[in-house]
Amino acid sequence: MSIKVMSIVWSRAPVQGGDLLMLLALADNADENGVAFPAVPYLASKARMTERNVQLCLRKLQRDGFIQIVPRAGPSGANKYRLNISLMRDLPDDFVPAKGESDGEDFSPVKNFHR
């Protein structure tokens, strides 16, 4: 567990609800570089979500640029997750997530964040 990564997620991640829980669950398992290898069932238990909801949150976080997922690149074939902590650290204090066009939810594509 990296206190540094957890602190960055708590203070700078511009997400909420299940996405925030998922980032925190990943950060709780990450090393100082933001790399973690937790299995989906473990993340589901940790975040008190269904495995399907975990998968949806992970895909959304990946699409928005907050994490990278490398399939089967970890121990015993687990996925490798890398939290994009530099992105979170570099967001302006007054960052407001853009409104998603595809699903009506608030999320911020990394390429199009607004001040």
Side-chain angles (χ1 to χ4, degrees):
M1 170 176 79
S2 169
I3 298 297
K4 175 182 87 169
V5 176
M6 289 284 294
S7 177
I8 290 169
V9 171
W10 272 117
S11 64
R12 305 293 296 169
V15 295
Q16 49 189 307
D19 295 336
L20 179 59
L21 275 174
M22 193 52 43
L23 277 178
L24 288 167
L26 289 168
D28 192 38
N29 288 276
D31 63 15
E32 291 295 311
N33 297 313
V35 175
F37 306 98
V40 169
Y42 174 80
L43 290 171
S45 172
K46 187 128 182 120
R48 294 165 182 84
M49 295 180 183
T50 64
E51 290 182 21
R52 179 69 178 135
N53 199 37
V54 167
Q55 293 165 343
L56 292 171
C57 287
L58 290 171
R59 262 188 293 224
K60 185 173 180 224
L61 291 168
Q62 180 182 31
R63 181 185 69 220
D64 294 346
F66 294 111
I67 64 171
Q68 294 173 320
I69 303 172
V70 182
R72 296 173 297 286
S76 303
N79 288 345
K80 176 180 178 181
Y81 302 94
R82 181 183 306 270
L83 283 81
N84 192 346
I85 54 179
S86 62
L87 169 69
M88 288 180 241
R89 202 179 303 150
D90 293 341
L91 288 173
D93 289 333
D94 60 350
F95 175 81
V96 176
K99 186 78 168 174
E101 294 178 6
S102 61
D103 56 11
E105 292 183 22
D106 285 337
F107 72 94
S108 174
V110 174
K111 296 177 248 175
N112 300 321
F113 70 86
H114 303 283
R115 287 182 179 232

